[in-house]
PDB file of all heavy atoms in Angstrom:
ATOM      1  N   LEU I 252     -70.892  51.213  -3.932  1.00  0.00           N
ATOM      2  CA  LEU I 252     -71.754  50.034  -3.925  1.00  0.00           C
ATOM      3  C   LEU I 252     -72.552  49.861  -2.639  1.00  0.00           C
ATOM      4  O   LEU I 252     -73.336  48.894  -2.474  1.00  0.00           O
ATOM      5  CB  LEU I 252     -70.878  48.708  -4.259  1.00  0.00           C
ATOM      6  CG  LEU I 252     -70.265  48.731  -5.613  1.00  0.00           C
ATOM      7  CD1 LEU I 252     -69.351  47.508  -5.773  1.00  0.00           C
ATOM      8  CD2 LEU I 252     -71.223  48.909  -6.712  1.00  0.00           C
ATOM      9  N   ASP I 253     -72.257  50.618  -1.663  1.00  0.00           N
ATOM     10  CA  ASP I 253     -72.886  50.481  -0.394  1.00  0.00           C
ATOM     11  C   ASP I 253     -72.617  49.195   0.363  1.00  0.00           C
ATOM     12  O   ASP I 253     -73.489  48.562   0.886  1.00  0.00           O
ATOM     13  CB  ASP I 253     -74.404  50.747  -0.398  1.00  0.00           C
ATOM     14  CG  ASP I 253     -75.059  51.114   0.938  1.00  0.00           C
ATOM     15  OD1 ASP I 253     -74.282  51.462   1.803  1.00  0.00           O
ATOM     16  OD2 ASP I 253     -76.274  51.019   1.085  1.00  0.00           O
ATOM     17  N   VAL I 254     -71.342  48.772   0.168  1.00  0.00           N
ATOM     18  CA  VAL I 254     -70.932  47.565   0.864  1.00  0.00           C
ATOM     19  C   VAL I 254     -70.549  47.791   2.347  1.00  0.00           C
ATOM     20  O   VAL I 254     -69.789  48.744   2.576  1.00  0.00           O
ATOM     21  CB  VAL I 254     -69.779  46.929   0.093  1.00  0.00           C
ATOM     22  CG1 VAL I 254     -69.150  45.694   0.776  1.00  0.00           C
ATOM     23  CG2 VAL I 254     -70.086  46.546  -1.331  1.00  0.00           C
ATOM     24  N   PRO I 255     -71.035  47.041   3.177  1.00  0.00           N
ATOM     25  CA  PRO I 255     -70.692  47.352   4.626  1.00  0.00           C
ATOM     26  C   PRO I 255     -69.151  47.065   4.908  1.00  0.00           C
ATOM     27  O   PRO I 255     -68.529  46.380   4.195  1.00  0.00           O
ATOM     28  CB  PRO I 255     -71.619  46.280   5.385  1.00  0.00           C
ATOM     29  CG  PRO I 255     -71.890  45.271   4.445  1.00  0.00           C
ATOM     30  CD  PRO I 255     -71.928  45.885   3.102  1.00  0.00           C
ATOM     31  N   TYR I 256     -68.773  47.717   5.995  1.00  0.00           N
ATOM     32  CA  TYR I 256     -67.430  47.530   6.513  1.00  0.00           C
ATOM     33  C   TYR I 256     -66.382  48.048   5.411  1.00  0.00           C
ATOM     34  O   TYR I 256     -65.302  47.628   5.300  1.00  0.00           O
ATOM     35  CB  TYR I 256     -67.049  46.159   6.810  1.00  0.00           C
ATOM     36  CG  TYR I 256     -68.197  45.360   7.399  1.00  0.00           C
ATOM     37  CD1 TYR I 256     -68.741  44.272   6.834  1.00  0.00           C
ATOM     38  CD2 TYR I 256     -68.729  45.778   8.570  1.00  0.00           C
ATOM     39  CE1 TYR I 256     -69.800  43.540   7.273  1.00  0.00           C
ATOM     40  CE2 TYR I 256     -69.892  45.088   9.157  1.00  0.00           C
ATOM     41  CZ  TYR I 256     -70.356  43.944   8.572  1.00  0.00           C
ATOM     42  OH  TYR I 256     -71.426  43.301   9.031  1.00  0.00           O
ATOM     43  N   ALA I 257     -66.780  49.126   4.737  1.00  0.00           N
ATOM     44  CA  ALA I 257     -65.814  49.708   3.618  1.00  0.00           C
ATOM     45  C   ALA I 257     -64.556  50.164   4.224  1.00  0.00           C
ATOM     46  O   ALA I 257     -63.540  49.879   3.602  1.00  0.00           O
ATOM     47  CB  ALA I 257     -66.691  50.777   2.954  1.00  0.00           C
ATOM     48  N   PRO I 258     -64.465  50.952   5.322  1.00  0.00           N
ATOM     49  CA  PRO I 258     -63.090  51.385   5.833  1.00  0.00           C
ATOM     50  C   PRO I 258     -62.172  50.244   6.062  1.00  0.00           C
ATOM     51  O   PRO I 258     -61.007  50.169   5.742  1.00  0.00           O
ATOM     52  CB  PRO I 258     -63.505  52.156   7.009  1.00  0.00           C
ATOM     53  CG  PRO I 258     -64.922  52.548   6.865  1.00  0.00           C
ATOM     54  CD  PRO I 258     -65.532  51.406   6.156  1.00  0.00           C
ATOM     55  N   ALA I 259     -62.628  49.246   6.836  1.00  0.00           N
ATOM     56  CA  ALA I 259     -61.811  48.138   7.207  1.00  0.00           C
ATOM     57  C   ALA I 259     -61.336  47.349   5.972  1.00  0.00           C
ATOM     58  O   ALA I 259     -60.180  46.877   5.815  1.00  0.00           O
ATOM     59  CB  ALA I 259     -62.520  47.197   8.221  1.00  0.00           C
ATOM     60  N   LEU I 260     -62.325  47.125   5.013  1.00  0.00           N
ATOM     61  CA  LEU I 260     -61.937  46.414   3.784  1.00  0.00           C
ATOM     62  C   LEU I 260     -60.954  47.155   2.943  1.00  0.00           C
ATOM     63  O   LEU I 260     -60.099  46.525   2.304  1.00  0.00           O
ATOM     64  CB  LEU I 260     -63.276  46.058   2.972  1.00  0.00           C
ATOM     65  CG  LEU I 260     -64.146  45.197   3.663  1.00  0.00           C
ATOM     66  CD1 LEU I 260     -65.538  45.018   2.783  1.00  0.00           C
ATOM     67  CD2 LEU I 260     -63.618  43.823   3.894  1.00  0.00           C
ATOM     68  N   ALA I 261     -61.077  48.470   2.943  1.00  0.00           N
ATOM     69  CA  ALA I 261     -60.095  49.299   2.178  1.00  0.00           C
ATOM     70  C   ALA I 261     -58.747  49.218   2.832  1.00  0.00           C
ATOM     71  O   ALA I 261     -57.719  49.100   2.021  1.00  0.00           O
ATOM     72  CB  ALA I 261     -60.604  50.754   2.128  1.00  0.00           C
ATOM     73  N   VAL I 262     -58.661  49.315   4.082  1.00  0.00           N
ATOM     74  CA  VAL I 262     -57.344  49.107   4.716  1.00  0.00           C
ATOM     75  C   VAL I 262     -56.769  47.761   4.430  1.00  0.00           C
ATOM     76  O   VAL I 262     -55.527  47.606   4.199  1.00  0.00           O
ATOM     77  CB  VAL I 262     -57.459  49.395   6.276  1.00  0.00           C
ATOM     78  CG1 VAL I 262     -56.213  49.060   6.998  1.00  0.00           C
ATOM     79  CG2 VAL I 262     -57.878  50.813   6.497  1.00  0.00           C
ATOM     80  N   TRP I 263     -57.610  46.781   4.492  1.00  0.00           N
ATOM     81  CA  TRP I 263     -57.089  45.370   4.235  1.00  0.00           C
ATOM     82  C   TRP I 263     -56.631  45.233   2.778  1.00  0.00           C
ATOM     83  O   TRP I 263     -55.477  44.786   2.541  1.00  0.00           O
ATOM     84  CB  TRP I 263     -58.286  44.439   4.430  1.00  0.00           C
ATOM     85  CG  TRP I 263     -58.152  43.089   3.838  1.00  0.00           C
ATOM     86  CD1 TRP I 263     -58.517  42.650   2.583  1.00  0.00           C
ATOM     87  CD2 TRP I 263     -57.448  41.922   4.419  1.00  0.00           C
ATOM     88  NE1 TRP I 263     -58.250  41.333   2.301  1.00  0.00           N
ATOM     89  CE2 TRP I 263     -57.664  40.838   3.470  1.00  0.00           C
ATOM     90  CE3 TRP I 263     -56.797  41.673   5.588  1.00  0.00           C
ATOM     91  CZ2 TRP I 263     -57.066  39.591   3.686  1.00  0.00           C
ATOM     92  CZ3 TRP I 263     -56.351  40.478   5.828  1.00  0.00           C
ATOM     93  CH2 TRP I 263     -56.466  39.404   4.931  1.00  0.00           C
ATOM     94  N   VAL I 264     -57.385  45.857   1.887  1.00  0.00           N
ATOM     95  CA  VAL I 264     -56.926  45.699   0.486  1.00  0.00           C
ATOM     96  C   VAL I 264     -55.610  46.572   0.222  1.00  0.00           C
ATOM     97  O   VAL I 264     -54.661  46.103  -0.519  1.00  0.00           O
ATOM     98  CB  VAL I 264     -57.949  46.242  -0.520  1.00  0.00           C
ATOM     99  CG1 VAL I 264     -57.450  46.423  -1.904  1.00  0.00           C
ATOM    100  CG2 VAL I 264     -59.205  45.318  -0.475  1.00  0.00           C
ATOM    101  N   GLY I 265     -55.491  47.734   0.896  1.00  0.00           N
ATOM    102  CA  GLY I 265     -54.306  48.515   0.704  1.00  0.00           C
ATOM    103  C   GLY I 265     -53.032  47.844   1.211  1.00  0.00           C
ATOM    104  O   GLY I 265     -52.035  47.824   0.533  1.00  0.00           O
ATOM    105  N   LEU I 266     -53.138  47.222   2.399  1.00  0.00           N
ATOM    106  CA  LEU I 266     -51.889  46.635   2.910  1.00  0.00           C
ATOM    107  C   LEU I 266     -51.581  45.254   2.185  1.00  0.00           C
ATOM    108  O   LEU I 266     -50.464  45.035   1.929  1.00  0.00           O
ATOM    109  CB  LEU I 266     -52.093  46.354   4.458  1.00  0.00           C
ATOM    110  CG  LEU I 266     -52.253  47.555   5.329  1.00  0.00           C
ATOM    111  CD1 LEU I 266     -52.500  47.269   6.745  1.00  0.00           C
ATOM    112  CD2 LEU I 266     -50.963  48.413   5.204  1.00  0.00           C
TER     113      LEU I 266
END
Side-chain angles (χ1 to χ4, degrees):
L252 296 178
D253 198 17
V254 176
Y256 325 118
L260 294 176
V262 173
W263 163 268
V264 172
L266 293 178

